[in-house]
Amino acid sequence: MSRIGRKPIELPAGVMVALSPGRVQVNGPLGELSQTVPVRMRIEKADGEILVTRPTERGEDRALHGLTRTLIANMLDGVTKGFETQLEIQGVGYRAQLKGTDLELAVGFSHPVTVKPRLGISFEVPTPTQIVVKGIDKQMVGQTAAEIRKVRPPEPYKGKGIRYAGEQVRRKVGKRA
């Protein structure tokens, strides 16, 4: 039984939702998002709420029920509040800076690594060792943050590299004499 799928989604003020078979479009103050959803799920909009219902109790439909509701709820959150992911850089001489809209990373290579933002994604660098990835699409923000982290993931011996804010890196003991 999907408990998440049964919860109605409240429509925030100033957000327009267009429903068509297999597609949901959301327009809000921060931008516009569209998402392909399973055609089998029935999505209804009534008195300021969106309700997702499933056709049968089969396992596949039950799994898609909660997924569909969560995707729509994330779209509504994105166009009203937006999403952000914070990254930290640790290591002597490791730093980040903005070059226009691009992010330039100096993380121990012989050359700086440039990361170009995707459409709808922006970077902020409050300090040289912090990066903030912002956008309205939750999936794209998470994917962009993962690609930045992949440039120099944290290593287990000294802990140097790029990590998510608050991420715990398990440290290993080095070789002994």
Side-chain angles (χ1 to χ4, degrees):
M1 166 172 92
S2 174
R3 294 190 183 115
I4 292 175
R6 292 183 180 186
K7 289 174 61 178
I9 308 166
E10 190 138 339
L11 268 175
V15 175
M16 299 295 296
V17 177
L19 302 172
S20 58
R23 192 143 202 85
V24 176
Q25 283 190 312
V26 178
N27 216 336
L30 295 182
E32 181 179 337
L33 290 173
S34 70
Q35 177 77 41
T36 305
V37 294
V39 181
R40 296 174 54 90
M41 295 297 126
R42 196 166 61 241
I43 304 166
E44 299 163 348
K45 182 170 67 169
D47 45 278
E49 288 183 341
I50 296 177
L51 194 63
V52 180
T53 54
R54 61 179 174 240
T56 66
E57 290 297 317
R58 288 181 32 221
E60 183 181 325
D61 287 341
R62 290 177 18 201
L64 290 175
H65 188 204
L67 171 74
T68 304
R69 189 243 179 236
T70 302
L71 288 174
I72 296 170
N74 284 343
M75 288 169 53
L76 291 173
D77 281 349
V79 297
T80 53
K81 298 178 237 165
F83 294 102
E84 72 174 39
T85 300
Q86 297 185 356
L87 299 162
E88 297 172 344
I89 302 175
Q90 289 194 348
V92 176
Y94 287 15
R95 65 187 183 289
Q97 63 184 17
L98 285 176
K99 292 278 186 178
T101 58
D102 298 349
L103 181 69
E104 191 172 89
L105 302 169
V107 286
F109 298 123
S110 61
H111 58 283
V113 178
T114 304
V115 179
K116 296 193 181 302
R118 296 178 163 159
L119 188 65
I121 297 293
S122 64
F123 299 126
E124 285 182 12
V125 183
T127 65
T129 59
Q130 287 184 317
I131 303 167
V132 180
V133 182
K134 288 187 171 187
I136 61 171
D137 188 351
K138 187 174 187 176
Q139 295 172 3
M140 214 181 308
V141 168
Q143 181 65 36
T144 305
E147 288 171 1
I148 293 170
R149 183 184 181 274
K150 194 175 176 183
V151 170
R152 178 71 92 174
E155 54 96 19
Y157 295 102
K158 292 185 180 177
K160 294 167 33 169
I162 303 172
R163 62 178 77 177
Y164 296 113
E167 179 183 359
Q168 298 291 321
V169 177
R170 296 199 51 180
R171 302 289 293 272
K172 292 182 179 179
V173 178
K175 61 181 179 181
R176 303 211 172 149

